[in-house]
Amino acid sequence: MKSIHSIVNANLKGKKVVFLFLLSTLVYIFMISVTIPHVMEHARGMSLLDMMPLGYDFEYVQALFNSLGEAGRQAYLYRQIPIDMAYPFLFAITYSLVLAFFLKKLNKLEGPFFYFCLLPFIAGLADYAENFGVVVLLTNYPDFSILSVTITSIFSLTKSCITTIFFLVLTGTLILVALKSINKKK
């Protein structure tokens, strides 16, 4: 069985990384410009659970689902969630390869820096867990439990924290690549 490291190295072709980046960006743009606004039309100004990086509580979920009404809950469950089931996979693969691509330019892909490439997979798993939690909440409405809300909220918070850490690492890596490029030109 191939190691994750060898799989990443085998897929660090520039065209493949760019293609995956464009594909995942298009799916993300579709969500934020089509499916999320469609659900938000029913939310009366409340944020969807996916869009709450600091989590939420039982009362908030009750109020949101009440505001959404039947049509909004159906849109959330059958329009937003299906698209959001594809996105974590695309995010994990794409951004792992993007970071690996730039770490390789710094000759830092070997060794401990490689483990930063796993952050998008952890965020993706948390996103899937969040999505499954939202499905459970929506399908059990109005009889969902405080525990199910708490667990789903923890996954939302985990996704947000890991994603933030990843983008800080990626930003730092891009700055180092830019500095290396500037120093080469001098």
Side-chain angles (χ1 to χ4, degrees):
M1 184 173 159
K2 285 186 171 183
S3 71
I4 293 174
H5 195 276
S6 64
I7 292 170
V8 168
N9 268 321
N11 288 288
L12 283 182
K13 315 276 186 291
K15 287 181 181 179
K16 185 179 284 189
V17 174
V18 169
F19 172 76
L20 286 169
F21 179 77
L22 291 174
L23 180 61
S24 64
T25 301
L26 287 173
V27 170
Y28 183 74
I29 289 170
F30 181 76
M31 282 194 309
I32 63 169
S33 64
V34 177
T35 60
I36 291 173
H38 179 72
V39 177
M40 295 289 294
E41 289 174 5
H42 305 278
R44 297 187 183 118
M46 297 182 78
S47 296
L48 299 184
L49 303 181
D50 315 68
M51 309 304 287
M52 299 188 66
L54 300 178
Y56 35 84
D57 60 18
F58 183 80
E59 289 76 23
Y60 185 87
V61 177
Q62 276 186 318
L64 172 64
F65 287 6
N66 287 337
S67 291
L68 287 172
E70 183 64 27
R73 289 189 303 275
Q74 293 296 311
Y76 202 172
L77 187 59
Y78 295 110
R79 290 190 180 194
Q80 169 54 23
I81 293 292
I83 298 297
D84 201 13
M85 287 300 200
Y87 185 70
F89 176 76
L90 287 170
F91 175 86
I93 297 291
T94 299
Y95 283 97
S96 177
L97 290 176
V98 166
L99 181 58
F101 183 83
F102 289 110
L103 285 173
K104 190 169 186 174
K105 289 191 173 295
L106 294 171
N107 297 316
K108 298 290 185 189
L109 187 56
E110 306 303 320
F113 289 103
F114 173 76
Y115 293 104
F116 287 121
C117 296
L118 300 179
L119 289 174
F121 288 98
I122 298 167
L125 289 174
D127 197 353
Y128 277 121
E130 172 193 58
N131 291 342
F132 285 119
V134 171
V135 168
V136 167
L137 296 174
L138 285 166
T139 56
N140 289 307
Y141 174 83
D143 298 320
F144 51 79
S145 68
I146 292 173
L147 179 61
S148 60
V149 170
T150 301
I151 291 169
T152 304
S153 180
I154 288 169
F155 286 124
S156 296
L157 184 60
T158 302
K159 173 189 81 171
S160 299
C161 288
I162 299 297
T163 301
T164 300
I165 292 167
F166 170 76
F167 279 111
L168 290 171
V169 169
L170 180 60
T171 300
T173 303
L174 292 173
I175 289 169
L176 291 174
V177 168
L179 291 173
K180 182 178 179 182
S181 177
I182 290 168
N183 286 335
K184 270 188 175 180
K185 290 180 181 177
K186 288 183 178 180

